[in-house]
Amino acid sequence: MKENTLITPLSTVHGIGPVFAERLERLGLKTVKDLLYYFPFRYQDFSNIKSIAGLSSNEVATVHGVIEKISISKTFYKKLLVITARVADESGSIEVVWFNQRHLLTQLKEGISINIAGIVKMQGKKLQFQSPEFEIISRDSYVPRHTGKLVPIYSETKGITSKGIRFVMEKVLPLASSLPEFLPQEILNKNSFPTLSDALEHIHRPASLTEAEEAQKRFAFQDLFLLQLIKTKEKYHLAQKPAHALPYTPEQIKKYFSYLPFECTPGQKKALYDILEDISKSHATHRLLQGDVGSGKTVVAAMAALVVASHQKQAVFMAPTEVLAQQHYHTFTSFFEEFSHGVALLTSNHTTVFFGKELERDISKKELLTHIASGKIKIVIGTHSVIQKNVAFDDVGLLVIDEQHRFGVHQRAALLSRTQTHHPHLLSMSATPIPRTLSLTLLGDLELSIINELPKNRKPIDTRIVPALHRQQAYAFIHQQAKTGRQVYVVCPRIASLDPEQKLTPRQLLQLDVKNVEEEYKKLSKTVFKDLRVGMLHGQMKSDEKQKMMSGFKNGTIDVLVSTSVIEVGVDVPNATIMMIEGSEYFGLSQLYQFRGRVGRGEHQSYCFLFTESRSKITMERLKALIKAKNGFELAEMDLKFRGPGQFLGTEQTGIPDLAMKAMQNPHMVKNVYESVQSLLKQDPELKKYPYLAEYLKLFEQKIHLE
Ligand code: ADP
Ligand code: MG
């Protein structure tokens, strides 16, 4: 019964009717647990209980009295309905007014006993409560919940007030007392945390602010603890799974290096050896390779894949888009053109095989799948297509997932290993750095390699903010650059213009002027750059059209490419030297950083123009951060500071509770959690002694989406 209490639907709780249950559901609150964990975002201190005669102006207080007289009137100008009550205690009386709340008349009657709580204002020469909280005291034994104490304030929604939530909370809080503690006793002792049931009581009905804060601390700890436990257990379980040990020899690696037309950076080499160490282990490993756009992650992964193939095992590369999959395939086959053990490109539109430079051909999907299943193909590069059910592998030794934040990494790996005795080693790659402050919590102690430098030949990109006033000047400069043979990206926040005839949400109304691909394409191709070849690219175009555009840009038959953020990840065109971003304030800093990484890849000086019509100071500061930051990590830290972890990660997307979001930035808390998780898993990796913790962890996991 006890654990079940948590998942009891609110509609079945005594005292919560179906109407209320439905409104709660709109807040996302379905079970007892959901409601118990719906924490107040602040507390209103109404604990200052006064006699009416003792009140003074601008004081927040609660008084207890009787309604002597009640009347309604309308204000002359605005036709507001005013309810005026005279409330008296033994010491005196005071006027109380409410505006436009006719429904209160059903409750407020002469002669009833009432608490009034709020700020006292001087109105003319008399004191007055204006639209205060009130609470009818129906009998002497009644314990007030909205007045006379610290009152929790919850965020409200249509149909539910803070008062309403306090009301239903009263119904579920008694259930909390039967909830078993799930945190290990040592942790409670060490940190002097209240027990779960006390903490729930204290956060919703605190006797003092200190009590509420202590409860908050426990819950923040608890969430970080569960988060990190999930991550650390994942790693632990992966380490239990058998994998192929795929060792390398130094000669072999030297040979691979010699195929490259450039010298790898120290960061690339370090990352490569980290990965090679991983795959030489006989248990499954998972590493995250983080490196700025253009830092050369692909070639590092490609060399690891060669080692895998040299052991007659398969390596699978999964990229988030068709364009990227093709690019990886080309990188691979152009650097390692001697490689004859079979490389395939597999996307929904392309099936190509390569057995060395002379032996490259398009192939039917059916034939390709048989070659993959038989192991004749050692390296498979593709999109999601590579993990569809109909793709069977011979034996996968390494799975590389590019831009890992777009995938559920472990689920994907599980898909691949469904028919294998050995689990593949996992390598995820990402150009979106996770700030150090958040990394321990979000990644646990996942193995991490960082490429923190760009190849030597890269010149810093000249980045400028372009206000409306300087638009023409910027156009002229860009035009002149394009005339000398360089290429230009133009990124817009939207695909099409909004139709002002249609009913728009307030948010859309604000975005009516936001630049869009279709209009900019028209304008640039017909007027501003009419003597240049202008192309357009966005996510709603057909896949082969996109393909044509992208390859046109790649081989130089298009000078200016107007697009949405689809070009965000990974596209590599060294001759493109100008990144022009419209409405740059609509993009996150990390995203802007990614855009900028599209240029500065060749020998020519590159430029990034951040167009903005906004004059807000914060916008300017954010954009300036992009100019200042030395690398993606520094920028991610700044972005985090500007937006806070909630916005930075998107609370909605991750499901991480607010308290935990805040706590993630507290290094002491994070360290404390880390040590607690490590010591717990050391003594009891399966949580056998902590069944309630295991239970909680499961519930928690269902709510969180980290990958
Ligand atoms: P990302 O890390 O963004 O995925 P890529 O792997 O796409 O970067 O590499 C970007 C470009 O840099 C590619 O054209 C690649 O061939 C080139 N490159 C990679 N490493 C080096 C290096 N050490 N020196 C010069 N160019 C490199
Ligand atoms: Mg890449």
PDB file of all heavy atoms in Angstrom, residues 293-294 297-298 324 327-328 402-403 429 431 569-571 598 601, ligand 2:
ATOM      1  N   VAL A 293      32.679  22.923 -33.132  1.00  0.00           N
ATOM      2  CA  VAL A 293      32.475  22.671 -34.549  1.00  0.00           C
ATOM      3  C   VAL A 293      33.784  22.935 -35.273  1.00  0.00           C
ATOM      4  O   VAL A 293      34.472  23.912 -34.987  1.00  0.00           O
ATOM      5  CB  VAL A 293      31.396  23.582 -35.160  1.00  0.00           C
ATOM      6  CG1 VAL A 293      30.050  22.943 -35.053  1.00  0.00           C
ATOM      7  CG2 VAL A 293      31.405  24.945 -34.519  1.00  0.00           C
ATOM      8  N   GLY A 294      34.131  22.032 -36.169  1.00  0.00           N
ATOM      9  CA  GLY A 294      35.350  22.216 -36.938  1.00  0.00           C
ATOM     10  C   GLY A 294      36.601  21.732 -36.236  1.00  0.00           C
ATOM     11  O   GLY A 294      37.702  21.871 -36.747  1.00  0.00           O
ATOM     12  N   LYS A 297      36.302  16.118 -35.255  1.00  0.00           N
ATOM     13  CA  LYS A 297      35.918  14.906 -34.527  1.00  0.00           C
ATOM     14  C   LYS A 297      35.761  13.712 -35.470  1.00  0.00           C
ATOM     15  O   LYS A 297      36.083  12.585 -35.114  1.00  0.00           O
ATOM     16  CB  LYS A 297      34.594  15.150 -33.778  1.00  0.00           C
ATOM     17  CG  LYS A 297      34.702  16.234 -32.711  1.00  0.00           C
ATOM     18  CD  LYS A 297      33.417  16.413 -31.941  1.00  0.00           C
ATOM     19  CE  LYS A 297      32.303  17.073 -32.720  1.00  0.00           C
ATOM     20  NZ  LYS A 297      32.551  18.468 -33.094  1.00  0.00           N
ATOM     21  N   THR A 298      35.275  14.003 -36.683  1.00  0.00           N
ATOM     22  CA  THR A 298      34.967  12.906 -37.598  1.00  0.00           C
ATOM     23  C   THR A 298      36.177  12.011 -37.859  1.00  0.00           C
ATOM     24  O   THR A 298      36.084  10.789 -37.808  1.00  0.00           O
ATOM     25  CB  THR A 298      34.481  13.457 -38.955  1.00  0.00           C
ATOM     26  OG1 THR A 298      33.560  14.505 -38.702  1.00  0.00           O
ATOM     27  CG2 THR A 298      33.827  12.382 -39.778  1.00  0.00           C
ATOM     28  N   LEU A 324      24.753  15.253 -43.330  1.00  0.00           N
ATOM     29  CA  LEU A 324      25.910  14.908 -42.506  1.00  0.00           C
ATOM     30  C   LEU A 324      26.387  13.491 -42.755  1.00  0.00           C
ATOM     31  O   LEU A 324      27.592  13.226 -42.792  1.00  0.00           O
ATOM     32  CB  LEU A 324      25.561  15.065 -41.035  1.00  0.00           C
ATOM     33  CG  LEU A 324      25.640  16.497 -40.531  1.00  0.00           C
ATOM     34  CD1 LEU A 324      25.166  16.559 -39.104  1.00  0.00           C
ATOM     35  CD2 LEU A 324      27.068  16.997 -40.646  1.00  0.00           C
ATOM     36  N   GLN A 327      28.383  13.508 -45.777  1.00  0.00           N
ATOM     37  CA  GLN A 327      29.655  14.173 -45.565  1.00  0.00           C
ATOM     38  C   GLN A 327      30.642  13.247 -44.849  1.00  0.00           C
ATOM     39  O   GLN A 327      31.808  13.168 -45.207  1.00  0.00           O
ATOM     40  CB  GLN A 327      29.405  15.413 -44.743  1.00  0.00           C
ATOM     41  CG  GLN A 327      30.550  16.363 -44.744  1.00  0.00           C
ATOM     42  CD  GLN A 327      30.131  17.629 -44.022  1.00  0.00           C
ATOM     43  OE1 GLN A 327      29.322  18.408 -44.530  1.00  0.00           O
ATOM     44  NE2 GLN A 327      30.637  17.807 -42.826  1.00  0.00           N
ATOM     45  N   HIS A 328      30.143  12.539 -43.834  1.00  0.00           N
ATOM     46  CA  HIS A 328      31.004  11.588 -43.129  1.00  0.00           C
ATOM     47  C   HIS A 328      31.518  10.518 -44.085  1.00  0.00           C
ATOM     48  O   HIS A 328      32.674  10.132 -44.063  1.00  0.00           O
ATOM     49  CB  HIS A 328      30.243  10.894 -42.000  1.00  0.00           C
ATOM     50  CG  HIS A 328      29.991  11.782 -40.820  1.00  0.00           C
ATOM     51  ND1 HIS A 328      30.864  12.758 -40.422  1.00  0.00           N
ATOM     52  CD2 HIS A 328      28.978  11.818 -39.936  1.00  0.00           C
ATOM     53  CE1 HIS A 328      30.383  13.365 -39.354  1.00  0.00           C
ATOM     54  NE2 HIS A 328      29.233  12.819 -39.039  1.00  0.00           N
ATOM     55  N   ASP A 402      26.866  10.731 -33.814  1.00  0.00           N
ATOM     56  CA  ASP A 402      27.266  12.123 -33.983  1.00  0.00           C
ATOM     57  C   ASP A 402      26.153  13.016 -33.456  1.00  0.00           C
ATOM     58  O   ASP A 402      24.984  12.721 -33.626  1.00  0.00           O
ATOM     59  CB  ASP A 402      27.501  12.391 -35.472  1.00  0.00           C
ATOM     60  CG  ASP A 402      28.304  13.672 -35.693  1.00  0.00           C
ATOM     61  OD1 ASP A 402      28.883  14.184 -34.717  1.00  0.00           O
ATOM     62  OD2 ASP A 402      28.342  14.145 -36.836  1.00  0.00           O
ATOM     63  N   GLU A 403      26.526  14.117 -32.816  1.00  0.00           N
ATOM     64  CA  GLU A 403      25.558  15.036 -32.221  1.00  0.00           C
ATOM     65  C   GLU A 403      24.618  14.269 -31.301  1.00  0.00           C
ATOM     66  O   GLU A 403      23.419  14.228 -31.487  1.00  0.00           O
ATOM     67  CB  GLU A 403      24.790  15.799 -33.307  1.00  0.00           C
ATOM     68  CG  GLU A 403      25.664  16.663 -34.191  1.00  0.00           C
ATOM     69  CD  GLU A 403      26.538  17.642 -33.402  1.00  0.00           C
ATOM     70  OE1 GLU A 403      26.144  18.024 -32.287  1.00  0.00           O
ATOM     71  OE2 GLU A 403      27.617  17.987 -33.893  1.00  0.00           O
ATOM     72  N   MET A 429      29.389  11.888 -29.968  1.00  0.00           N
ATOM     73  CA  MET A 429      30.150  13.099 -30.281  1.00  0.00           C
ATOM     74  C   MET A 429      29.206  14.287 -30.252  1.00  0.00           C
ATOM     75  O   MET A 429      28.065  14.189 -30.691  1.00  0.00           O
ATOM     76  CB  MET A 429      30.759  12.993 -31.672  1.00  0.00           C
ATOM     77  CG  MET A 429      31.605  11.750 -31.856  1.00  0.00           C
ATOM     78  SD  MET A 429      32.740  11.872 -33.242  1.00  0.00           S
ATOM     79  CE  MET A 429      31.639  11.781 -34.628  1.00  0.00           C
ATOM     80  N   ALA A 431      29.049  18.799 -30.468  1.00  0.00           N
ATOM     81  CA  ALA A 431      29.690  20.114 -30.550  1.00  0.00           C
ATOM     82  C   ALA A 431      29.013  21.080 -29.593  1.00  0.00           C
ATOM     83  O   ALA A 431      29.370  22.233 -29.518  1.00  0.00           O
ATOM     84  CB  ALA A 431      29.604  20.636 -31.979  1.00  0.00           C
ATOM     85  N   VAL A 569      24.219  21.869 -37.814  1.00  0.00           N
ATOM     86  CA  VAL A 569      25.252  20.908 -37.440  1.00  0.00           C
ATOM     87  C   VAL A 569      26.134  20.461 -38.586  1.00  0.00           C
ATOM     88  O   VAL A 569      25.653  20.105 -39.653  1.00  0.00           O
ATOM     89  CB  VAL A 569      24.659  19.641 -36.777  1.00  0.00           C
ATOM     90  CG1 VAL A 569      24.517  19.841 -35.295  1.00  0.00           C
ATOM     91  CG2 VAL A 569      23.364  19.259 -37.421  1.00  0.00           C
ATOM     92  N   GLY A 570      27.402  20.522 -38.329  1.00  0.00           N
ATOM     93  CA  GLY A 570      28.370  19.770 -39.110  1.00  0.00           C
ATOM     94  C   GLY A 570      28.692  20.051 -40.565  1.00  0.00           C
ATOM     95  O   GLY A 570      29.646  19.517 -41.070  1.00  0.00           O
ATOM     96  N   VAL A 571      27.914  20.875 -41.259  1.00  0.00           N
ATOM     97  CA  VAL A 571      28.163  21.020 -42.686  1.00  0.00           C
ATOM     98  C   VAL A 571      29.530  21.673 -42.941  1.00  0.00           C
ATOM     99  O   VAL A 571      29.907  22.618 -42.275  1.00  0.00           O
ATOM    100  CB  VAL A 571      27.069  21.872 -43.348  1.00  0.00           C
ATOM    101  CG1 VAL A 571      27.280  21.953 -44.836  1.00  0.00           C
ATOM    102  CG2 VAL A 571      25.714  21.287 -43.042  1.00  0.00           C
ATOM    103  N   ARG A 598      30.385  27.246 -39.100  1.00  0.00           N
ATOM    104  CA  ARG A 598      30.294  26.827 -40.521  1.00  0.00           C
ATOM    105  C   ARG A 598      31.355  27.528 -41.358  1.00  0.00           C
ATOM    106  O   ARG A 598      31.712  27.049 -42.425  1.00  0.00           O
ATOM    107  CB  ARG A 598      28.933  27.165 -41.140  1.00  0.00           C
ATOM    108  CG  ARG A 598      27.714  26.640 -40.493  1.00  0.00           C
ATOM    109  CD  ARG A 598      27.581  25.157 -40.641  1.00  0.00           C
ATOM    110  NE  ARG A 598      27.756  24.543 -39.351  1.00  0.00           N
ATOM    111  CZ  ARG A 598      28.680  23.652 -39.079  1.00  0.00           C
ATOM    112  NH1 ARG A 598      29.494  23.231 -39.999  1.00  0.00           N
ATOM    113  NH2 ARG A 598      28.776  23.165 -37.880  1.00  0.00           N
ATOM    114  N   ARG A 601      36.716  27.757 -42.226  1.00  0.00           N
ATOM    115  CA  ARG A 601      37.217  26.400 -42.375  1.00  0.00           C
ATOM    116  C   ARG A 601      38.254  26.282 -43.477  1.00  0.00           C
ATOM    117  O   ARG A 601      38.802  25.213 -43.704  1.00  0.00           O
ATOM    118  CB  ARG A 601      36.062  25.448 -42.667  1.00  0.00           C
ATOM    119  CG  ARG A 601      35.161  25.316 -41.472  1.00  0.00           C
ATOM    120  CD  ARG A 601      33.959  24.452 -41.753  1.00  0.00           C
ATOM    121  NE  ARG A 601      33.393  24.025 -40.485  1.00  0.00           N
ATOM    122  CZ  ARG A 601      33.173  22.769 -40.142  1.00  0.00           C
ATOM    123  NH1 ARG A 601      33.446  21.800 -40.984  1.00  0.00           N
ATOM    124  NH2 ARG A 601      32.674  22.478 -38.977  1.00  0.00           N
TER     125      ARG A 601
HETATM  126 MG    MG B   2      30.780  16.899 -36.933  1.00  0.00          MG
END
